[in-house]
Amino acid sequence: MSVRHAAASAANLALVAGFLGLSGCLGACAIGPGPEIGARAGLGCVDDSPECIQRRQVTLRHMVDDKSRSWVNEPPTPEAYASGVRLFAFKTKKKELSCDELKRGKLEADTAKHSVASLGNRLTPAQASRSVMLAGEVGRELQNEINRRCKTS
C-alpha cells in the first residue's frame, strides 16, 4: 500500500468516524422513537447519542443489504445528506451500481453540498463542513466509477 493510499484510507476512516459522531439533533432524533424506527430511522438523525449512532448504522446496513437498491430512487432530505447515511451507501455500493444509479448518486452528492446549507443554524459549522467534505469525496469516487465503466453519450 502506498503512502498516498494509506493517507487516503486514514482520511476516509476519520470522515466515517466524524459522521458517526455528529452532534446536534435533527429529524427523527428530535421527535424521539416513533413510526420511523426501522429501516430509514437514521436518515434524519445526526446527533452523537448512542441511539442516533445506532439508527444510522442500522439504516446504512439496511440500505447496503437491499438487493433492489430501492433507496437510490427515494428523494433525499437535507437531513439525510447531513446524516451521511445515503452518501456512505453510495460510496459502499459504487462497484455494484448501474450507470444510471451511479449518475443519480453523483447528482445527489453534488446537490448535497448545497442542500446542507439550507439547514442553516441547525448544524454546527463542523457538521456542515464534514457533510460538504463527504459529498465532495463521494462525488469524486462516483465520477471515477462512471468514467471507468459507463459510456458517455
Side-chain angles (χ1 to χ4, degrees), residues 86-103:
R86 286 182 60 88
L87 292 171
F88 277 118
F90 276 113
K91 179 180 178 66
T92 302
K93 299 297 282 185
K94 69 182 175 232
K95 293 196 185 298
E96 300 170 35
L97 297 174
S98 70
C99 289
D100 286 341
E101 290 169 329
L102 286 167
K103 290 173 185 173

Side-chain angles (χ1 to χ4, degrees), residues 57-143:
Q57 290 171 340
V58 166
T59 301
L60 180 59
R61 247 187 324 268
H62 181 269
M63 293 169 87
V64 168
D65 291 343
D66 178 8
K67 301 286 185 216
S68 72
R69 295 191 296 273
S70 61
W71 57 270
V72 170
N73 294 310
E74 294 173 0
T77 63
E79 291 83 5
Y81 291 134
S83 76
V85 175
R86 286 182 60 88
L87 292 171
F88 277 118
F90 276 113
K91 179 180 178 66
T92 302
K93 299 297 282 185
K94 69 182 175 232
K95 293 196 185 298
E96 300 170 35
L97 297 174
S98 70
C99 289
D100 286 341
E101 290 169 329
L102 286 167
K103 290 173 185 173
R104 172 138 181 133
K106 170 69 168 109
L107 177 63
E108 191 167 313
D110 292 345
T111 302
K113 294 179 207 175
H114 306 289
S115 182
V116 168
S118 73
L119 293 172
N121 63 357
R122 293 174 25 189
L123 291 178
T124 66
Q127 288 171 314
S129 177
R130 284 191 299 258
S131 295
V132 170
M133 283 178 23
L134 176 64
E137 177 184 333
V138 171
R140 284 187 299 278
E141 288 184 19
L142 294 176
Q143 185 63 58

Side-chain angles (χ1 to χ4, degrees), residues 23-42:
S23 61
C25 193
L26 297 174
C29 290
I31 60 172
E36 196 178 310
I37 300 269
R40 301 292 190 259

